[in-house]
Amino acid sequence: MSKMMPPPSAASTGAFSVETLRKRADFLKAASARRVPMPAFLLQARKRSDGEAEGIRIGYTCSKKVGNAVARNRAKRRLREIARAILPVEGQDGWDYVLIGRRDATATRDFAEMKGDLSRALRKVHQ
């Protein structure tokens, strides 16, 4: 029987832990920072000042313009999944990110294209 190996550490993979933004004040701070529009979402990003929480923090939001509760939840699930795949590797420590869903586009855009869009948006934010 094989032993379970611990997951690789952030230092060995270049990946960071990702926390979820929950406080309105954090969303408002991100709203006044950098914005990068993409076809399926809008990325807001801000560098936190020294002394604030470490790691990467991410928030998700979809307004009623996206649709009813079912449509908003579907859009947020897709945003969570692309963030789970891309942010630990390509995000930078000490940053807050907010992904905002777009009507019709977030739920229908090809998933691989959305992941590529997030990678491009992160490169634009960090250049």
Side-chain angles (χ1 to χ4, degrees), residues 3-71:
K3 287 181 158 181
M4 287 187 57
M5 297 297 293
S9 66
S12 67
T13 62
F16 294 100
S17 65
V18 178
E19 292 182 31
T20 303
L21 291 177
R22 300 194 189 281
K23 295 182 181 176
R24 184 174 189 266
D26 292 329
F27 280 89
L28 293 175
K29 288 177 186 175
S32 62
R34 300 176 187 174
R35 295 168 176 240
V36 180
M38 287 289 151
F41 57 85
L42 172 73
L43 174 69
Q44 297 174 336
R46 86 172 181 104
K47 175 90 169 118
R48 293 190 305 272
S49 60
D50 292 336
E52 289 189 73
E54 293 185 14
I56 296 171
R57 298 191 311 177
I58 179 80
Y60 312 93
T61 186
C62 291
S63 72
K64 286 190 176 183
K65 291 178 186 177
V66 173
N68 63 10
V70 174

Side-chain angles (χ1 to χ4, degrees), residues 63-83:
S63 72
K64 286 190 176 183
K65 291 178 186 177
V66 173
N68 63 10
V70 174
R72 291 192 308 270
N73 287 334
R74 179 179 299 125
K76 283 194 278 189
R77 278 194 307 270
R78 289 174 60 91
L79 292 174
R80 273 189 223 105
E81 191 58 27
I82 63 167

